[in-house]
Amino acid sequence: MTQSDRLIFGPGADRRAANGLLAPLMWVAGLFATMVAMAVGAVLAVITAAAVAVIAVVAAVLVFFAGLAMRARRRVTVRARRSDDVIEARKVDGAWVAYGWEKPVR
């Protein structure tokens, strides 16, 4: 019997006699608790990995759409006005509406 056994079980106590029939049951309970802890840890690891993957996919989609928006912004060109005096007119609810007759502000 070691010094730590004497502290745990008291003076003169034999280890086998102190635990008796509970020793195998305690060992099985410890094994079961270990297996449950490992299973919970594995499930939490899988959930965390799935969350990281979802975050990565959402970030990739966001970057993709931001790239499309930046490309569209670069390709937008200002339409030049015609040099002649032709204006555009459309019929809206029975009335003609003209566009392009305003003088540009300089």
Side-chain angles (χ1 to χ4, degrees):
M1 183 177 289
T2 63
Q3 180 65 26
S4 60
D5 289 339
R6 287 189 196 115
L7 291 174
I8 294 171
F9 300 113
D14 186 20
R15 187 173 170 187
R16 286 187 213 118
N19 288 338
L21 294 175
L22 292 178
L25 293 176
M26 296 294 280
W27 187 84
V28 170
L31 183 66
F32 179 71
T34 302
M35 292 298 175
V36 168
M38 289 174 57
V40 168
V43 168
L44 289 176
V46 168
I47 290 172
T48 302
V52 168
V54 167
I55 290 170
V57 168
V58 169
V61 168
L62 180 66
V63 169
F64 174 74
F65 282 125
L68 284 180
M70 294 301 288
R71 185 184 318 172
R73 186 175 182 184
R74 280 194 303 261
R75 290 190 182 189
V76 170
T77 57
V78 178
R79 293 184 186 177
R81 292 188 62 189
R82 292 189 221 178
S83 60
D84 55 357
D85 291 334
V86 177
I87 63 172
E88 179 182 348
R90 294 183 183 161
K91 194 166 190 176
V92 179
D93 294 331
W96 286 94
V97 178
Y99 299 96
W101 58 271
E102 303 95 356
K103 297 284 183 188
V105 178
R106 293 182 192 227

